[in-house]
Amino acid sequence: MADAPRVALALGSGGARGYAHIGAIRALREHGCEIVTIAGTSMGALVGGLTAAGRLDDFAAWASTLRQRDVVRLVDLKWGSPGAIAADRLLEQMSGLLDDVEIEELPIPFTAVATDLAARREVWFQRGPLRAAVRASIAIPGVFTPVMINGRLLVDGGLMNPVPVDPTTAVQADLTVAISLLGARGPREHVSPAQETAAPQRFEEWRGRLRRTVARLTDRDEEDEEQVLEPALESSGTEALPKDLRLTQVTAMSFEAMQGLVARHRMASFPADITVEVPLDACRTVDFHRAEELIELGHELTSAALAASGLTPA
């Protein structure tokens, strides 16, 4: 292998966890890697496109200034539209970084992955305006509004390809590195089916499960006893829903559950040499105000993975 490994980089989807891609790219550069091609889905497409355009540092600096009130101000609630949030205002803040950039003119070959809902197939954008391709790729179903391009109704590429390794295979590289934002929350998380009864059980038997469920919906600590008061039963015999539950949370968590399964199958067909897994509970999908900590997490996880593979900082 050459002194400066040539890296094909796949950046996965996962909303605000995508800030971890910035730290991952910094770690690759610190280890002397040359990124020769990038494919990205959703936030992976945004970060990957900006990296290919040489504008990642400007984006990272801007994102690190965002606070929660800024994120609330920049997203447009569209409850009567095909998505809960229109990302246009947020993307306008990035227009100086994305405008007037054509994908085929980027110094690093780049692919943004989206999904054509009507045709039920992936779309790989490898030509045309970078801004339009990224906007299509980040359209999380039910959260961000979809877009139309050339007669295609487009949403987040993570619907069909959450960690897009396959678009990178056309470019010769020494290493394929995949950054997945769908990592396990912890050792207790299982992927095999659970056999369960629909009959009510004693609350003490599933108190811990309720605590973990509510913790994933809120910012509360898993050990917070206030969140595990015994819920009242509905007329159907099911328990009342957590009071903090929101439509965007249900949609995002449903999307993540599906993506985890799709990613495992897709990456079995196109395995990466190094896979970095950012855990799902690193943040919620729309926590776009947590850039600094997620960038650091991506850097830490990728540095550890590179060191485990034998690569040392340049």
Side-chain angles (χ1 to χ4, degrees), residues 293-312:
E293 61 183 283
L294 291 162
I295 290 171
E296 180 56 34
L297 177 61
H299 182 272
E300 176 185 330
L301 293 174
T302 305
S303 295
L306 293 174
S309 73
L311 287 176
T312 57

PDB file of all heavy atoms in Angstrom, residues 293-312:
ATOM      1  N   GLU A 293     -19.912  18.480  19.479  1.00  0.00           N
ATOM      2  CA  GLU A 293     -19.736  17.192  20.151  1.00  0.00           C
ATOM      3  C   GLU A 293     -19.792  16.029  19.164  1.00  0.00           C
ATOM      4  O   GLU A 293     -19.082  15.024  19.316  1.00  0.00           O
ATOM      5  CB  GLU A 293     -20.766  16.993  21.256  1.00  0.00           C
ATOM      6  CG  GLU A 293     -22.200  16.984  20.791  1.00  0.00           C
ATOM      7  CD  GLU A 293     -23.190  16.861  21.942  1.00  0.00           C
ATOM      8  OE1 GLU A 293     -23.352  15.740  22.457  1.00  0.00           O
ATOM      9  OE2 GLU A 293     -23.780  17.895  22.325  1.00  0.00           O
ATOM     10  N   LEU A 294     -20.610  16.159  18.107  1.00  0.00           N
ATOM     11  CA  LEU A 294     -20.711  15.079  17.135  1.00  0.00           C
ATOM     12  C   LEU A 294     -19.491  15.033  16.219  1.00  0.00           C
ATOM     13  O   LEU A 294     -19.053  13.950  15.819  1.00  0.00           O
ATOM     14  CB  LEU A 294     -21.998  15.241  16.324  1.00  0.00           C
ATOM     15  CG  LEU A 294     -23.260  14.975  17.152  1.00  0.00           C
ATOM     16  CD1 LEU A 294     -24.485  15.548  16.470  1.00  0.00           C
ATOM     17  CD2 LEU A 294     -23.437  13.477  17.408  1.00  0.00           C
ATOM     18  N   ILE A 295     -18.942  16.182  15.892  1.00  0.00           N
ATOM     19  CA  ILE A 295     -17.698  16.211  15.122  1.00  0.00           C
ATOM     20  C   ILE A 295     -16.591  15.511  15.910  1.00  0.00           C
ATOM     21  O   ILE A 295     -15.830  14.693  15.374  1.00  0.00           O
ATOM     22  CB  ILE A 295     -17.295  17.662  14.796  1.00  0.00           C
ATOM     23  CG1 ILE A 295     -18.265  18.270  13.774  1.00  0.00           C
ATOM     24  CG2 ILE A 295     -15.860  17.726  14.253  1.00  0.00           C
ATOM     25  CD1 ILE A 295     -18.079  19.760  13.553  1.00  0.00           C
ATOM     26  N   GLU A 296     -16.514  15.801  17.195  1.00  0.00           N
ATOM     27  CA  GLU A 296     -15.510  15.172  18.042  1.00  0.00           C
ATOM     28  C   GLU A 296     -15.720  13.668  18.139  1.00  0.00           C
ATOM     29  O   GLU A 296     -14.769  12.882  18.108  1.00  0.00           O
ATOM     30  CB  GLU A 296     -15.543  15.793  19.447  1.00  0.00           C
ATOM     31  CG  GLU A 296     -14.530  15.200  20.412  1.00  0.00           C
ATOM     32  CD  GLU A 296     -13.098  15.265  19.920  1.00  0.00           C
ATOM     33  OE1 GLU A 296     -12.743  16.244  19.227  1.00  0.00           O
ATOM     34  OE2 GLU A 296     -12.322  14.333  20.229  1.00  0.00           O
ATOM     35  N   LEU A 297     -16.993  13.244  18.233  1.00  0.00           N
ATOM     36  CA  LEU A 297     -17.292  11.816  18.301  1.00  0.00           C
ATOM     37  C   LEU A 297     -16.849  11.108  17.019  1.00  0.00           C
ATOM     38  O   LEU A 297     -16.241  10.029  17.067  1.00  0.00           O
ATOM     39  CB  LEU A 297     -18.791  11.609  18.522  1.00  0.00           C
ATOM     40  CG  LEU A 297     -19.276  10.152  18.539  1.00  0.00           C
ATOM     41  CD1 LEU A 297     -18.625   9.370  19.670  1.00  0.00           C
ATOM     42  CD2 LEU A 297     -20.798  10.093  18.647  1.00  0.00           C
ATOM     43  N   GLY A 298     -17.151  11.697  15.868  1.00  0.00           N
ATOM     44  CA  GLY A 298     -16.739  11.107  14.604  1.00  0.00           C
ATOM     45  C   GLY A 298     -15.239  10.998  14.490  1.00  0.00           C
ATOM     46  O   GLY A 298     -14.694   9.997  13.986  1.00  0.00           O
ATOM     47  N   HIS A 299     -14.545  12.029  14.955  1.00  0.00           N
ATOM     48  CA  HIS A 299     -13.078  12.027  14.935  1.00  0.00           C
ATOM     49  C   HIS A 299     -12.532  10.915  15.826  1.00  0.00           C
ATOM     50  O   HIS A 299     -11.626  10.158  15.437  1.00  0.00           O
ATOM     51  CB  HIS A 299     -12.559  13.389  15.398  1.00  0.00           C
ATOM     52  CG  HIS A 299     -11.068  13.501  15.370  1.00  0.00           C
ATOM     53  ND1 HIS A 299     -10.276  13.134  16.437  1.00  0.00           N
ATOM     54  CD2 HIS A 299     -10.221  13.947  14.397  1.00  0.00           C
ATOM     55  CE1 HIS A 299      -9.009  13.340  16.139  1.00  0.00           C
ATOM     56  NE2 HIS A 299      -8.949  13.827  14.906  1.00  0.00           N
ATOM     57  N   GLU A 300     -13.093  10.796  17.009  1.00  0.00           N
ATOM     58  CA  GLU A 300     -12.621   9.795  17.976  1.00  0.00           C
ATOM     59  C   GLU A 300     -12.842   8.378  17.462  1.00  0.00           C
ATOM     60  O   GLU A 300     -11.927   7.531  17.511  1.00  0.00           O
ATOM     61  CB  GLU A 300     -13.356  10.004  19.296  1.00  0.00           C
ATOM     62  CG  GLU A 300     -13.044   8.983  20.366  1.00  0.00           C
ATOM     63  CD  GLU A 300     -13.895   9.187  21.609  1.00  0.00           C
ATOM     64  OE1 GLU A 300     -14.285  10.334  21.902  1.00  0.00           O
ATOM     65  OE2 GLU A 300     -14.182   8.182  22.284  1.00  0.00           O
ATOM     66  N   LEU A 301     -14.059   8.097  16.963  1.00  0.00           N
ATOM     67  CA  LEU A 301     -14.373   6.751  16.497  1.00  0.00           C
ATOM     68  C   LEU A 301     -13.551   6.365  15.269  1.00  0.00           C
ATOM     69  O   LEU A 301     -13.070   5.234  15.150  1.00  0.00           O
ATOM     70  CB  LEU A 301     -15.863   6.643  16.170  1.00  0.00           C
ATOM     71  CG  LEU A 301     -16.824   6.749  17.362  1.00  0.00           C
ATOM     72  CD1 LEU A 301     -18.270   6.780  16.879  1.00  0.00           C
ATOM     73  CD2 LEU A 301     -16.617   5.583  18.328  1.00  0.00           C
ATOM     74  N   THR A 302     -13.359   7.311  14.346  1.00  0.00           N
ATOM     75  CA  THR A 302     -12.613   7.018  13.124  1.00  0.00           C
ATOM     76  C   THR A 302     -11.128   6.865  13.417  1.00  0.00           C
ATOM     77  O   THR A 302     -10.457   5.980  12.864  1.00  0.00           O
ATOM     78  CB  THR A 302     -12.845   8.121  12.081  1.00  0.00           C
ATOM     79  OG1 THR A 302     -14.249   8.272  11.864  1.00  0.00           O
ATOM     80  CG2 THR A 302     -12.170   7.784  10.762  1.00  0.00           C
ATOM     81  N   SER A 303     -10.598   7.707  14.290  1.00  0.00           N
ATOM     82  CA  SER A 303      -9.185   7.579  14.668  1.00  0.00           C
ATOM     83  C   SER A 303      -8.914   6.204  15.272  1.00  0.00           C
ATOM     84  O   SER A 303      -7.901   5.555  14.970  1.00  0.00           O
ATOM     85  CB  SER A 303      -8.802   8.675  15.664  1.00  0.00           C
ATOM     86  OG  SER A 303      -8.886   9.959  15.065  1.00  0.00           O
ATOM     87  N   ALA A 304      -9.834   5.737  16.119  1.00  0.00           N
ATOM     88  CA  ALA A 304      -9.678   4.427  16.742  1.00  0.00           C
ATOM     89  C   ALA A 304      -9.741   3.314  15.697  1.00  0.00           C
ATOM     90  O   ALA A 304      -8.961   2.351  15.747  1.00  0.00           O
ATOM     91  CB  ALA A 304     -10.754   4.216  17.800  1.00  0.00           C
ATOM     92  N   ALA A 305     -10.659   3.431  14.732  1.00  0.00           N
ATOM     93  CA  ALA A 305     -10.788   2.412  13.692  1.00  0.00           C
ATOM     94  C   ALA A 305      -9.553   2.378  12.798  1.00  0.00           C
ATOM     95  O   ALA A 305      -9.080   1.292  12.409  1.00  0.00           O
ATOM     96  CB  ALA A 305     -12.039   2.682  12.853  1.00  0.00           C
ATOM     97  N   LEU A 306      -9.017   3.536  12.468  1.00  0.00           N
ATOM     98  CA  LEU A 306      -7.813   3.597  11.633  1.00  0.00           C
ATOM     99  C   LEU A 306      -6.607   3.022  12.376  1.00  0.00           C
ATOM    100  O   LEU A 306      -5.794   2.293  11.803  1.00  0.00           O
ATOM    101  CB  LEU A 306      -7.544   5.035  11.212  1.00  0.00           C
ATOM    102  CG  LEU A 306      -8.576   5.652  10.263  1.00  0.00           C
ATOM    103  CD1 LEU A 306      -8.284   7.126  10.042  1.00  0.00           C
ATOM    104  CD2 LEU A 306      -8.589   4.916   8.922  1.00  0.00           C
ATOM    105  N   ALA A 307      -6.505   3.332  13.661  1.00  0.00           N
ATOM    106  CA  ALA A 307      -5.404   2.792  14.460  1.00  0.00           C
ATOM    107  C   ALA A 307      -5.498   1.276  14.555  1.00  0.00           C
ATOM    108  O   ALA A 307      -4.495   0.562  14.452  1.00  0.00           O
ATOM    109  CB  ALA A 307      -5.429   3.411  15.864  1.00  0.00           C
ATOM    110  N   ALA A 308      -6.712   0.763  14.710  1.00  0.00           N
ATOM    111  CA  ALA A 308      -6.909  -0.691  14.785  1.00  0.00           C
ATOM    112  C   ALA A 308      -6.525  -1.383  13.482  1.00  0.00           C
ATOM    113  O   ALA A 308      -6.132  -2.555  13.477  1.00  0.00           O
ATOM    114  CB  ALA A 308      -8.358  -1.006  15.140  1.00  0.00           C
ATOM    115  N   SER A 309      -6.622  -0.652  12.372  1.00  0.00           N
ATOM    116  CA  SER A 309      -6.266  -1.227  11.061  1.00  0.00           C
ATOM    117  C   SER A 309      -4.780  -1.108  10.767  1.00  0.00           C
ATOM    118  O   SER A 309      -4.316  -1.576   9.728  1.00  0.00           O
ATOM    119  CB  SER A 309      -7.064  -0.541   9.957  1.00  0.00           C
ATOM    120  OG  SER A 309      -6.586   0.779   9.736  1.00  0.00           O
ATOM    121  N   GLY A 310      -4.045  -0.441  11.659  1.00  0.00           N
ATOM    122  CA  GLY A 310      -2.602  -0.312  11.483  1.00  0.00           C
ATOM    123  C   GLY A 310      -2.142   1.020  10.927  1.00  0.00           C
ATOM    124  O   GLY A 310      -0.933   1.223  10.728  1.00  0.00           O
ATOM    125  N   LEU A 311      -3.078   1.932  10.658  1.00  0.00           N
ATOM    126  CA  LEU A 311      -2.696   3.243  10.150  1.00  0.00           C
ATOM    127  C   LEU A 311      -2.371   4.173  11.301  1.00  0.00           C
ATOM    128  O   LEU A 311      -3.098   4.226  12.292  1.00  0.00           O
ATOM    129  CB  LEU A 311      -3.832   3.847   9.322  1.00  0.00           C
ATOM    130  CG  LEU A 311      -4.080   3.233   7.939  1.00  0.00           C
ATOM    131  CD1 LEU A 311      -5.294   3.858   7.294  1.00  0.00           C
ATOM    132  CD2 LEU A 311      -2.862   3.406   7.043  1.00  0.00           C
ATOM    133  N   THR A 312      -1.303   4.909  11.199  1.00  0.00           N
ATOM    134  CA  THR A 312      -0.901   5.863  12.226  1.00  0.00           C
ATOM    135  C   THR A 312      -0.959   7.264  11.664  1.00  0.00           C
ATOM    136  O   THR A 312      -0.871   7.470  10.440  1.00  0.00           O
ATOM    137  CB  THR A 312       0.532   5.583  12.720  1.00  0.00           C
ATOM    138  OG1 THR A 312       1.431   5.616  11.600  1.00  0.00           O
ATOM    139  CG2 THR A 312       0.620   4.203  13.367  1.00  0.00           C
TER     140      THR A 312
END
